[in-house]
Each structure stands twice: as structure tokens, then as C-alpha cells.
Amino acid sequence: MAPHNDAPSPIGDYSERLRRLTIGTPSSVQAAYDSQCSTPDYSDSLDSPSLSSADDSLHRPLVPGIYVPTLAFFDSKTEDLDIDTTASHAVRLAQAGVAGLTTQGSNGEAVHLNHAERNVVTQTTRKALDLAGFTYMPIIVGCGAQSTRETIELCREAFQAGGDYALVLPPSYYRPMFKSETVIEFFEDVASASPIPIMIYNFPGAVSGMDLDSDTIIHLSKHQNIVGCKLTCGNTGKLNRVAAATMASSPYDPGSGFMCLGGSADFTLQTMIGGGSGTIGGLGNIAPKACVKIVNLYMSGQIKEAKKMQAIVARGDWAAIKGGVIGTRSALETHFGYGGFSRRPLPRPTAKEAQRYSDEFQELVALEKSL
């Protein structure tokens, strides 16, 4: 039996509705969400960042498209969270047409935040989206930790803060002592206890080289509260296998509802051609419109044009990969007037480094500003 054929959707049966909707545009996601959330119990006031307690089981749908792992922003002197910039950046991304946002990822410097600060970032993002009219837009929250217990705690806190889904890395600190079934048991235990659906995050570079294979991900996809994966490993063959085995959602077919997402903007087109659901890529902080445009060109059958744009995005993503969150912030500051600096111990770029980052992103920024 194929995964998810009889598993309940996290928001109810919306597959037929989504069959008639286009990818990741505000109108398409709004329609899917409104059909499930036409209730006076929902409030977008500052006092109610997410769905009311009267309908805690309702979640915003994930649809194929571009998801952006947002940066965390800090005061340049105190390193306190910069709430205003956190909010305005979230709205800028939403207005660019992305399908959803991710907080507490690598770009969000989750490892530099305590639990309370993590919750503030997610709450601020949810409130900002709601007040700007993007009440339907889902938020995926990074909830990785080294113990099963803390990971579950982070999932519960993410839900309370207004998150709709949890993105979970496998633990790796004690990896040499793991048994063959340890990682599978970890994800199944977290998924069973989490109040929100979870997504598997495969990022070998962040977990001591641990690279989940397609067999493991396909096995885990059968759990009714595991609804997707992010593959930052860059293995498009793995992505294709997982997408096919799980009948993943695509722009042309909602399939099982499982989301098979690439983890970097530099293989967005490859992900779509391989049957994937879209990407969660940090480059979207700089160029969300360009990332969305690739998917839209693919959807309209303009593959030649999509390939040209993918090449520019890939060159920009290489700058982001080399510079990391420091380079991305620097380019955001230079080209868009905000971004600031990371928390220590990450260094601040020198004037020469900042100029190099600016130059390396120039082609991509020119494309972004033309859209």
C-alpha cells in the first residue's frame, strides 16, 4: 500500500480542492485555507497568534512551491532580537509570493537562541503575517534537539507560538552509540507526541555527516503525523525515489499530501522535474521573487526560460553557500538596507568582505529587482 493513502491530512481532506488550485500563489493557498477555516473563532489580533483553542487540530495546508527559512535579526549593539525587522522581513517574503516560511532553521540561527527567543520569533512572524492579510500562510518551525524529550518540547512550544509544522533534524551527538533502529524510533516517537505534523530534515552537514537514505525516509513517511521532508543533501536521485514512493504533492497533482522538498535554491528546477514539491532554500531571503519565478516558468511549460533563471539563481546560491549566514546578511544589508549581523561568536564581515558579498550577489539582486 502506498504511503498516506489512508492517512488523515493534517487539515482535513483538501486534496480535491487543491487539484483545482495553482502552485503556491497567495490566492491558491488562501482558498485552501479559507475552505477549512471559515470560522469566527479565528483571530488575527496580537493576542491570538494562531488558531483558537476551540479548533487546535486545524492547520494551514502545505502546497507545492517555495518556502523560505527566515533569518533571525538582532540589534547591532545589544544582540537582542530585532522584532520590527523580523516582522517586516516576513511580510516582504509573503508579498513575493512564497508558499510559506520556516523559522528556527540554520539561517534563523536557532542554535544561538534560547527557547523563549525561538518562540518570540515564531510568534512575531505569525502575527506579522496575520496582520498583513496572510493568515493562510503556513509556518514551519525548526525543532531539532539532541534528545527525544527536548525535541517534543520544542514541537509543543512551536505549536503554542503559532507554528503549523515542525522541521526536525535527527540527533547526532551520540551517533556512535546508536543502534540501527535508533533514528527511526526517534522520528516515530517525536511524531507520535507532537501536536503538529513533522517534517524530516536531512542535512548531513549539520549532523556530523549523517545522511538518511531513501529507504529510511520512505519508511518514516508512513507515519500519519510525518507529512514531508527537506533534502539539503542535494541528492536528486534520492529526492526522485522518495517523491515517487510517497506519491508526493506536485504542482500538477496533490498526490498523497506528502511534501518532498529540496533543501537549496540551486536545484529548484531539478526538484520540480524530478517530481518534488518545491524547495526550502535560504536564498529566498535575498531573492524570493526569482525563486518563485522558476517554479512558475516550469508550471507554464517555459522550460528554456526556467533554465536560464535557474542558472542565475544557482550562481547566487553558490555565493550564499560560500558566505553562509554571514554573507547572506551582508548582502541583504547592502542591497536592501537591512540584515544586520549575526550573534557572536560569528564574526562581522570586514568592509572588504562586505564588498565581495555585494559583488557576488549583484547579478541575482538585479534579477530580483526586475521582477
Side-chain angles (χ1 to χ4, degrees):
M1 182 177 66
H4 287 281
N5 274 5
D6 61 350
S9 162
I11 64 158
D13 183 11
Y14 60 91
S15 294
E16 287 305 314
R17 295 182 181 90
L18 290 185
R19 289 182 196 279
R20 298 189 293 272
L21 301 175
T22 57
I23 184 171
T25 60
S27 59
S28 70
V29 189
Q30 177 78 66
Y33 177 67
D34 284 348
S35 68
Q36 299 296 323
C37 195
S38 55
T39 169
D41 291 330
Y42 183 80
S43 170
D44 63 359
S45 71
L46 290 175
D47 294 327
S48 181
S50 62
L51 299 176
S52 73
S53 58
D55 204 354
D56 283 344
S57 63
L58 189 61
H59 297 282
R60 298 164 182 86
L62 294 172
V63 299
I66 299 297
Y67 292 77
V68 182
T70 60
L71 294 165
F73 298 95
F74 307 105
D75 183 276
S76 61
K77 294 181 179 179
T78 66
E79 295 189 358
D80 290 340
L81 289 174
D82 182 343
I83 301 302
D84 291 341
T85 303
T86 299
S88 61
H89 182 64
V91 173
R92 175 196 164 221
L93 300 180
Q95 291 173 337
V98 304
L101 302 181
T102 302
T103 58
Q104 318 313 325
S106 303
N107 282 274
E109 295 187 44
V111 295
H112 289 166
L113 307 178
N114 60 37
H115 281 222
E117 289 174 321
R118 286 178 176 227
N119 296 335
V120 167
V121 170
T122 300
Q123 289 170 343
T124 298
T125 301
R126 179 75 270 156
K127 292 175 185 177
L129 291 175
D130 290 353
L131 292 175
F134 297 96
T135 54
Y136 55 85
M137 184 166 286
I139 296 177
I140 304 167
V141 183
C143 293
Q146 291 302 310
S147 72
T148 303
R149 182 185 181 92
E150 186 180 10
T151 304
I152 293 170
E153 180 183 359
L154 286 170
C155 291
R156 290 171 176 166
E157 291 177 356
F159 171 62
Q160 293 167 356
D164 300 289
Y165 303 85
L167 184 63
V168 179
L169 281 165
S172 60
Y173 189 84
Y174 291 112
R175 181 185 177 189
M177 289 178 271
F178 285 2
K179 296 181 178 179
S180 59
E181 66 272 18
T182 297
V183 171
I184 287 178
E185 290 177 350
F186 166 79
F187 277 108
E188 290 178 340
D189 288 345
V190 170
S192 295
S194 173
I196 52 179
I198 75 167
M199 304 178 71
I200 301 162
Y201 189 5
N202 187 48
F203 185 8
V207 289
S208 304
M210 185 187 300
D211 190 0
L212 303 179
D213 60 34
S214 54
D215 291 341
T216 298
I217 297 171
I218 291 166
H219 173 85
L220 288 170
S221 74
K222 298 174 184 178
H223 192 290
Q224 68 176 20
N225 208 33
I226 297 178
V227 299
C229 61
K230 175 185 178 182
L231 302 180
T232 306
C233 53
N235 187 330
T236 53
K238 180 190 300 181
L239 185 146
N240 183 257
R241 290 191 295 274
V242 172
T246 62
M247 297 192 303
S249 292
S250 74
Y252 300 109
D253 186 352
S256 66
F258 190 86
M259 296 288 286
C260 186
L261 295 157
S264 182
D266 64 357
F267 62 104
T268 299
L269 183 58
Q270 299 92 315
T271 293
M272 307 314 298
I273 292 173
S277 310
T279 63
I280 303 178
L283 193 67
N285 286 287
I286 298 288
K289 293 179 182 178
C291 294
V292 171
K293 186 68 172 178
I294 292 173
V295 179
N296 290 340
L297 288 170
Y298 167 76
M299 281 286 294
S300 63
Q302 300 178 72
I303 304 302
K304 185 176 181 179
E305 292 77 8
K307 288 173 64 177
K308 291 179 180 178
M309 190 163 291
Q310 178 65 81
I312 297 173
V313 167
R315 287 192 288 272
D317 209 21
W318 180 233
I321 292 167
K322 291 188 294 182
V325 67
I326 297 172
T328 298
R329 284 185 185 283
S330 180
L332 197 60
E333 183 71 45
T334 301
H335 292 291
F336 295 94
Y338 71 99
F341 305 106
S342 295
R343 273 186 173 169
R344 294 174 294 175
L346 286 180
R348 296 186 176 190
T350 64
K352 183 177 180 179
E353 289 169 336
Q355 184 60 54
R356 185 178 77 248
Y357 295 139
S358 175
D359 293 343
E360 290 177 341
F361 281 101
Q362 182 60 54
E363 179 188 33
L364 178 65
V365 171
L367 171 62
E368 178 71 11
K369 291 185 176 181
S370 73
L371 296 174

